[in-house]
Amino acid sequence: MNPFILSMMISNLALGTIITAASYHWFMAWIGLEMNTLAIIPILAKQHHPRATEAATKYFIIQMTASSIILFSSIFNAYHTGTWNITQLTTHPTPSLLTIALAMKLGLVPMHFWLPEVMQGVNTMTALIITTWQKLPPMFLLYLTANQLPMVILLLLAISSTLISGWSGLNQTQLRKIMAYSSIGHLGWMFAILSTSQKLLLFTLTMYLLMTIPIFLIFISSTTKTIKDLGMLWTTSPTSCTMTMVIFMALGGLPPLSGFLPKWLILEELTTNHLIPLATMLTLTSLLSLMFYMRLTYTTTLTV
Protein backbone atom coordinates (compact mmCIF):
# COMPACT_ATOMS: atom_id res chain seq x y z
CA MET A 1 0.00 0.00 0.00
CA ASN A 2 1.16 3.52 -0.81
CA PRO A 3 2.67 5.12 2.36
CA PHE A 4 0.55 8.26 1.89
CA ILE A 5 -2.68 6.23 1.68
CA LEU A 6 -1.63 4.11 4.66
CA SER A 7 -0.90 7.19 6.76
CA MET A 8 -4.28 8.66 5.76
CA MET A 9 -6.07 5.44 6.79
CA ILE A 10 -4.28 5.36 10.15
CA SER A 11 -5.11 9.05 10.71
CA ASN A 12 -8.79 8.40 10.01
CA LEU A 13 -8.62 5.38 12.31
CA ALA A 14 -7.36 7.59 15.13
CA LEU A 15 -9.78 10.41 14.29
CA GLY A 16 -12.79 8.10 14.38
CA THR A 17 -11.79 6.83 17.81
CA ILE A 18 -11.28 10.37 19.14
CA ILE A 19 -14.68 11.51 17.79
CA THR A 20 -16.42 8.56 19.48
CA ALA A 21 -14.58 9.10 22.77
CA ALA A 22 -15.36 12.85 22.83
CA SER A 23 -19.03 12.58 21.83
CA TYR A 24 -22.08 12.90 24.02
CA HIS A 25 -24.38 12.86 20.99
CA TRP A 26 -25.37 9.48 19.59
CA PHE A 27 -25.11 10.54 15.95
CA MET A 28 -21.56 11.87 16.37
CA ALA A 29 -20.55 8.71 18.21
CA TRP A 30 -21.98 6.64 15.35
CA ILE A 31 -20.05 8.73 12.80
CA GLY A 32 -16.85 8.08 14.75
CA LEU A 33 -17.51 4.34 14.72
CA GLU A 34 -18.16 4.40 10.97
CA MET A 35 -14.98 6.36 10.25
CA ASN A 36 -13.03 3.90 12.37
CA THR A 37 -14.49 0.89 10.55
CA LEU A 38 -14.13 2.26 7.02
CA ALA A 39 -10.52 3.29 7.70
CA ILE A 40 -9.41 -0.19 8.77
CA ILE A 41 -11.04 -2.11 5.89
CA PRO A 42 -8.29 -1.18 3.33
CA ILE A 43 -5.66 -2.04 5.96
CA LEU A 44 -7.21 -5.48 6.42
CA ALA A 45 -7.31 -6.15 2.68
CA LYS A 46 -3.93 -4.69 1.71
CA GLN A 47 -2.23 -8.11 1.32
CA HIS A 48 -4.12 -8.91 -1.95
CA HIS A 49 -4.72 -12.45 -0.75
CA PRO A 50 -8.04 -14.34 -0.65
CA ARG A 51 -7.71 -14.85 3.12
CA ALA A 52 -7.20 -11.12 3.67
CA THR A 53 -10.15 -10.25 1.42
CA GLU A 54 -12.33 -12.75 3.29
CA ALA A 55 -11.24 -11.31 6.64
CA ALA A 56 -12.00 -7.75 5.50
CA THR A 57 -15.45 -8.80 4.24
CA LYS A 58 -16.32 -10.58 7.48
CA TYR A 59 -15.11 -7.63 9.55
CA PHE A 60 -17.11 -5.17 7.44
CA ILE A 61 -20.35 -7.17 7.66
CA ILE A 62 -20.13 -7.64 11.43
CA GLN A 63 -19.19 -4.04 12.16
CA MET A 64 -21.87 -2.63 9.88
CA THR A 65 -24.51 -4.87 11.48
CA ALA A 66 -23.49 -3.73 14.95
CA SER A 67 -23.41 -0.06 13.88
CA SER A 68 -26.89 -0.42 12.37
CA ILE A 69 -28.21 -1.78 15.67
CA ILE A 70 -26.56 1.11 17.54
CA LEU A 71 -28.10 3.65 15.17
CA PHE A 72 -31.52 2.00 15.40
CA SER A 73 -31.43 1.90 19.22
CA SER A 74 -30.31 5.55 19.44
CA ILE A 75 -33.07 6.70 17.04
CA PHE A 76 -35.63 4.67 18.99
CA ASN A 77 -34.42 6.22 22.25
CA ALA A 78 -34.39 9.75 20.80
CA TYR A 79 -37.91 9.30 19.43
CA HIS A 80 -39.29 8.49 22.88
CA THR A 81 -37.14 10.79 25.04
CA GLY A 82 -36.52 13.73 22.71
CA THR A 83 -32.77 13.73 23.38
CA TRP A 84 -29.69 12.30 21.65
CA ASN A 85 -27.60 12.38 24.81
CA ILE A 86 -25.59 9.17 25.21
CA THR A 87 -26.15 9.07 28.96
CA GLN A 88 -29.97 9.17 28.65
CA LEU A 89 -30.91 5.56 27.91
CA THR A 90 -34.32 5.34 29.50
CA THR A 91 -36.42 3.64 26.83
CA HIS A 92 -36.67 -0.15 26.79
CA PRO A 93 -35.20 -2.03 24.89
CA THR A 94 -32.50 0.52 23.96
CA PRO A 95 -30.00 -0.49 26.70
CA SER A 96 -30.27 -4.18 25.78
CA LEU A 97 -29.85 -3.53 22.05
CA LEU A 98 -26.88 -1.26 22.69
CA THR A 99 -25.19 -3.85 24.91
CA ILE A 100 -25.61 -6.58 22.28
CA ALA A 101 -24.34 -4.31 19.49
CA LEU A 102 -21.22 -3.23 21.40
CA ALA A 103 -20.56 -6.85 22.41
CA MET A 104 -20.77 -7.79 18.73
CA LYS A 105 -18.28 -5.05 17.82
CA LEU A 106 -15.87 -6.27 20.52
CA GLY A 107 -16.32 -9.96 19.66
CA LEU A 108 -17.79 -11.32 22.87
CA VAL A 109 -19.52 -14.69 23.10
CA PRO A 110 -21.88 -15.63 21.43
CA MET A 111 -21.02 -13.02 18.73
CA HIS A 112 -17.35 -14.01 18.75
CA PHE A 113 -16.96 -16.35 15.76
CA TRP A 114 -15.72 -13.62 13.43
CA LEU A 115 -12.81 -12.47 15.60
CA PRO A 116 -10.47 -15.52 15.42
CA GLU A 117 -11.12 -15.94 11.70
CA VAL A 118 -10.46 -12.29 10.92
CA MET A 119 -7.26 -12.26 12.96
CA GLN A 120 -6.03 -15.41 11.26
CA GLY A 121 -6.65 -13.91 7.82
CA VAL A 122 -4.58 -10.75 8.34
CA ASN A 123 -0.93 -10.11 9.15
CA THR A 124 0.33 -9.82 12.72
CA MET A 125 0.52 -6.02 12.74
CA THR A 126 -3.10 -5.70 11.63
CA ALA A 127 -4.10 -8.32 14.23
CA LEU A 128 -2.42 -6.09 16.84
CA ILE A 129 -4.59 -3.15 15.76
CA ILE A 130 -7.77 -5.28 15.94
CA THR A 131 -7.03 -6.53 19.47
CA THR A 132 -5.95 -3.17 20.89
CA TRP A 133 -6.95 0.04 19.14
CA GLN A 134 -10.22 -1.28 17.71
CA LYS A 135 -11.41 -2.17 21.20
CA LEU A 136 -11.26 1.45 22.35
CA PRO A 137 -14.32 3.07 20.63
CA PRO A 138 -16.85 0.47 21.89
CA MET A 139 -15.23 0.53 25.34
CA PHE A 140 -15.62 4.32 25.50
CA LEU A 141 -19.34 3.98 24.77
CA LEU A 142 -19.68 1.23 27.36
CA TYR A 143 -17.89 3.44 29.90
CA LEU A 144 -20.28 6.35 29.26
CA THR A 145 -23.42 4.19 29.51
CA ALA A 146 -22.25 1.69 32.15
CA ASN A 147 -24.78 2.66 34.83
CA GLN A 148 -27.75 2.20 32.49
CA LEU A 149 -26.90 -1.11 30.83
CA PRO A 150 -28.76 -4.28 31.95
CA MET A 151 -26.58 -6.04 34.51
CA VAL A 152 -27.98 -9.51 33.76
CA ILE A 153 -26.91 -9.34 30.10
CA LEU A 154 -23.48 -8.00 31.05
CA LEU A 155 -22.88 -10.83 33.52
CA LEU A 156 -24.10 -13.50 31.08
CA LEU A 157 -21.74 -12.14 28.42
CA ALA A 158 -18.91 -12.08 30.96
CA ILE A 159 -19.34 -15.67 32.13
CA SER A 160 -19.87 -17.11 28.64
CA SER A 161 -16.87 -15.21 27.22
CA THR A 162 -14.42 -16.38 29.90
CA LEU A 163 -15.70 -19.95 29.61
CA ILE A 164 -15.77 -20.28 25.81
CA SER A 165 -12.46 -18.45 25.31
CA GLY A 166 -10.74 -20.91 27.64
CA TRP A 167 -12.25 -23.96 25.96
CA SER A 168 -11.62 -22.71 22.43
CA GLY A 169 -8.03 -21.64 23.08
CA LEU A 170 -6.97 -25.08 24.32
CA ASN A 171 -6.90 -26.75 20.89
CA GLN A 172 -5.35 -23.91 18.86
CA THR A 173 -1.89 -23.90 17.30
CA GLN A 174 -2.05 -20.50 15.56
CA LEU A 175 -0.86 -17.72 17.84
CA ARG A 176 -3.15 -15.09 16.31
CA LYS A 177 -6.21 -17.24 17.05
CA ILE A 178 -4.93 -17.85 20.58
CA MET A 179 -4.55 -14.10 21.11
CA ALA A 180 -8.07 -13.61 19.75
CA TYR A 181 -9.46 -15.96 22.40
CA SER A 182 -7.24 -14.23 24.96
CA SER A 183 -8.89 -10.95 23.98
CA ILE A 184 -12.37 -12.48 24.38
CA GLY A 185 -11.48 -13.80 27.84
CA HIS A 186 -10.11 -10.49 29.07
CA LEU A 187 -13.13 -8.62 27.72
CA GLY A 188 -15.28 -11.03 29.73
CA TRP A 189 -13.54 -9.87 32.91
CA MET A 190 -14.11 -6.24 31.89
CA PHE A 191 -17.82 -6.83 31.30
CA ALA A 192 -18.09 -8.49 34.72
CA ILE A 193 -16.94 -5.30 36.44
CA LEU A 194 -18.51 -2.80 34.00
CA SER A 195 -21.63 -1.96 35.99
CA THR A 196 -19.87 -2.06 39.37
CA SER A 197 -16.68 -0.03 39.00
CA GLN A 198 -15.83 1.98 35.88
CA LYS A 199 -12.40 2.96 37.27
CA LEU A 200 -11.50 -0.69 37.63
CA LEU A 201 -12.73 -1.26 34.05
CA LEU A 202 -10.26 1.35 32.76
CA PHE A 203 -7.46 -0.12 34.87
CA THR A 204 -8.13 -3.64 33.54
CA LEU A 205 -8.27 -2.36 29.94
CA THR A 206 -4.97 -0.50 30.41
CA MET A 207 -3.24 -3.56 31.85
CA TYR A 208 -4.57 -5.71 29.00
CA LEU A 209 -3.19 -3.27 26.42
CA LEU A 210 0.17 -3.07 28.19
CA MET A 211 0.48 -6.87 28.10
CA THR A 212 -0.90 -7.48 24.59
CA ILE A 213 1.11 -4.86 22.68
CA PRO A 214 4.57 -6.19 23.73
CA ILE A 215 3.70 -9.82 22.94
CA PHE A 216 2.51 -8.86 19.44
CA LEU A 217 5.64 -6.77 18.87
CA ILE A 218 7.73 -9.83 19.74
CA PHE A 219 5.70 -11.93 17.29
CA ILE A 220 6.24 -9.29 14.58
CA SER A 221 9.98 -8.89 15.14
CA SER A 222 10.58 -12.67 15.23
CA THR A 223 8.00 -13.54 12.52
CA THR A 224 6.42 -16.01 14.95
CA LYS A 225 2.99 -17.26 13.84
CA THR A 226 2.50 -20.75 15.29
CA ILE A 227 3.30 -22.65 18.47
CA LYS A 228 6.00 -24.52 16.50
CA ASP A 229 7.69 -21.19 15.69
CA LEU A 230 7.41 -20.27 19.36
CA GLY A 231 9.45 -23.34 20.27
CA MET A 232 12.34 -22.05 18.14
CA LEU A 233 12.32 -18.54 19.60
CA TRP A 234 15.12 -19.22 22.09
CA THR A 235 17.63 -20.01 19.32
CA THR A 236 17.10 -16.62 17.63
CA SER A 237 16.54 -14.32 20.62
CA PRO A 238 16.85 -15.53 24.25
CA THR A 239 15.75 -12.10 25.53
CA SER A 240 12.54 -12.15 23.48
CA CYS A 241 11.94 -15.74 24.58
CA THR A 242 12.23 -14.78 28.26
CA MET A 243 9.94 -11.77 27.82
CA THR A 244 7.41 -13.95 25.97
CA MET A 245 7.26 -16.46 28.84
CA VAL A 246 6.78 -13.68 31.42
CA ILE A 247 4.04 -11.96 29.39
CA PHE A 248 2.17 -15.23 28.80
CA MET A 249 2.18 -15.93 32.54
CA ALA A 250 1.04 -12.35 33.19
CA LEU A 251 -1.83 -12.73 30.70
CA GLY A 252 -2.82 -15.90 32.54
CA GLY A 253 -3.03 -13.92 35.78
CA LEU A 254 -0.32 -15.71 37.75
CA PRO A 255 0.86 -13.85 40.87
CA PRO A 256 2.95 -11.79 41.43
CA LEU A 257 2.92 -10.68 37.78
CA SER A 258 1.01 -7.60 36.58
CA GLY A 259 -1.90 -9.56 35.05
CA PHE A 260 -2.86 -10.90 38.48
CA LEU A 261 -3.62 -7.47 39.97
CA PRO A 262 -6.71 -6.49 37.88
CA LYS A 263 -8.25 -9.95 38.29
CA TRP A 264 -7.65 -9.86 42.02
CA LEU A 265 -9.23 -6.40 42.30
CA ILE A 266 -12.22 -7.48 40.18
CA LEU A 267 -12.82 -10.52 42.38
CA GLU A 268 -12.53 -8.33 45.48
CA GLU A 269 -14.99 -5.79 44.07
CA LEU A 270 -17.50 -8.50 43.11
CA THR A 271 -17.22 -10.07 46.56
CA THR A 272 -17.75 -6.69 48.23
CA ASN A 273 -20.93 -6.21 46.16
CA HIS A 274 -22.26 -9.64 47.25
CA LEU A 275 -21.67 -11.26 43.86
CA ILE A 276 -19.75 -14.20 45.28
CA PRO A 277 -21.25 -16.82 42.87
CA LEU A 278 -20.14 -14.69 39.90
CA ALA A 279 -16.65 -14.25 41.37
CA THR A 280 -16.40 -18.01 41.91
CA MET A 281 -17.49 -18.81 38.35
CA LEU A 282 -15.03 -16.29 36.89
CA THR A 283 -12.22 -17.82 38.93
CA LEU A 284 -13.04 -21.36 37.77
CA THR A 285 -13.46 -20.42 34.10
CA SER A 286 -10.18 -18.47 34.12
CA LEU A 287 -8.37 -21.73 34.93
CA LEU A 288 -9.08 -22.89 31.36
CA SER A 289 -7.40 -19.78 29.96
CA LEU A 290 -4.51 -20.25 32.36
CA MET A 291 -4.10 -23.77 30.98
CA PHE A 292 -3.33 -22.68 27.41
CA TYR A 293 -1.12 -19.81 28.62
CA MET A 294 0.92 -22.33 30.60
CA ARG A 295 1.05 -24.61 27.56
CA LEU A 296 2.48 -21.74 25.51
CA THR A 297 5.01 -21.00 28.24
CA TYR A 298 6.02 -24.68 28.34
CA THR A 299 6.40 -24.74 24.55
CA THR A 300 8.63 -21.68 24.69
CA THR A 301 10.94 -23.36 27.20
CA LEU A 302 11.39 -26.61 25.22
CA THR A 303 14.56 -25.42 23.51
CA VAL A 304 16.00 -23.61 26.54
Side-chain angles (χ1 to χ4, degrees):
M1 182 180 290
N2 186 293
F4 175 74
I5 296 176
L6 181 61
S7 63
M8 186 175 67
M9 292 296 104
I10 293 176
S11 298
N12 284 328
L13 199 67
L15 180 61
T17 303
I18 294 170
I19 290 174
T20 301
S23 297
Y24 278 89
H25 192 285
W26 270 117
F27 190 67
M28 289 302 298
W30 177 78
I31 289 176
L33 291 173
E34 292 304 294
M35 287 182 61
N36 185 272
T37 301
L38 293 175
I40 200 175
I41 296 300
I43 298 176
L44 294 175
K46 69 178 181 178
Q47 287 181 288
H48 302 293
H49 189 274
R51 290 294 301 273
T53 305
E54 179 186 354
T57 305
K58 288 179 179 178
Y59 188 86
F60 176 78
I61 292 173
I62 291 295
Q63 297 298 318
M64 288 299 104
T65 302
S67 294
S68 300
I69 297 174
I70 292 173
L71 186 61
F72 170 76
S73 61
S74 60
I75 292 174
F76 186 80
N77 186 71
Y79 177 78
H80 285 276
T81 62
T83 177
W84 286 86
N85 196 320
I86 287 179
T87 58
Q88 300 296 323
L89 296 177
T90 56
T91 306
H92 185 76
T94 299
S96 301
L97 288 174
L98 180 65
T99 305
I100 293 171
L102 293 176
M104 184 184 297
K105 272 189 167 293
L106 290 167
L108 268 79
V109 175
M111 292 84 67
H112 70 289
F113 296 101
W114 64 271
L115 183 58
E117 297 301 322
V118 169
M119 287 188 60
Q120 185 58 31
V122 299
N123 59 34
T124 312
M125 178 57 76
T126 310
L128 169 62
I129 296 174
I130 293 174
T131 53
T132 54
W133 188 264
Q134 290 303 97
K135 304 297 182 188
L136 297 180
M139 292 304 294
F140 286 137
L141 292 179
L142 286 169
Y143 178 82
L144 290 173
T145 59
N147 295 324
Q148 302 174 70
L149 300 179
M151 191 171 184
V152 175
I153 295 179
L154 292 175
L155 298 184
L156 286 174
L157 289 171
I159 291 295
S160 58
S161 295
T162 53
L163 180 63
I164 299 300
S165 66
W167 271 341
S168 302
L170 285 173
N171 61 346
Q172 298 296 328
T173 59
Q174 298 290 330
L175 291 177
R176 280 168 291 179
K177 280 192 175 183
I178 290 175
M179 295 309 297
Y181 289 116
S182 171
S183 172
I184 295 170
H186 281 86
L187 287 171
W189 282 86
M190 295 178 207
F191 265 59
I193 201 64
L194 178 61
S195 59
T196 307
S197 174
Q198 287 76 53
K199 291 182 179 179
L200 192 50
L201 166 71
L202 293 179
F203 176 69
T204 307
L205 178 62
T206 303
M207 293 303 298
Y208 165 73
L209 296 177
L210 291 176
M211 291 183 291
T212 302
I213 293 173
I215 197 70
F216 267 102
L217 293 179
I218 293 173
F219 293 161
I220 294 168
S221 62
S222 60
T223 63
T224 302
K225 296 181 179 179
T226 64
I227 292 181
K228 183 179 178 181
D229 297 336
L230 198 63
M232 302 300 295
L233 188 58
W234 179 265
T235 59
T236 57
S237 177
T239 304
S240 297
C241 182
T242 305
M243 290 181 61
T244 301
M245 289 188 290
V246 173
I247 295 172
F248 276 143
M249 289 187 288
L251 284 168
L254 282 180
L257 299 173
S258 56
F260 172 69
L261 183 58
K263 293 184 178 181
W264 181 26
L265 293 175
I266 288 174
L267 293 176
E268 183 182 13
E269 184 71 23
L270 293 175
T271 305
T272 304
N273 286 275
H274 308 290
L275 294 171
I276 297 176
L278 174 63
T280 304
M281 293 179 68
L282 280 176
T283 305
L284 294 176
T285 54
S286 67
L287 293 177
L288 291 170
S289 299
L290 180 60
M291 178 64 187
F292 70 73
Y293 287 123
M294 294 304 296
R295 185 184 65 159
L296 291 172
T297 306
Y298 173 72
T299 305
T300 308
T301 60
L302 287 178
T303 56
V304 178

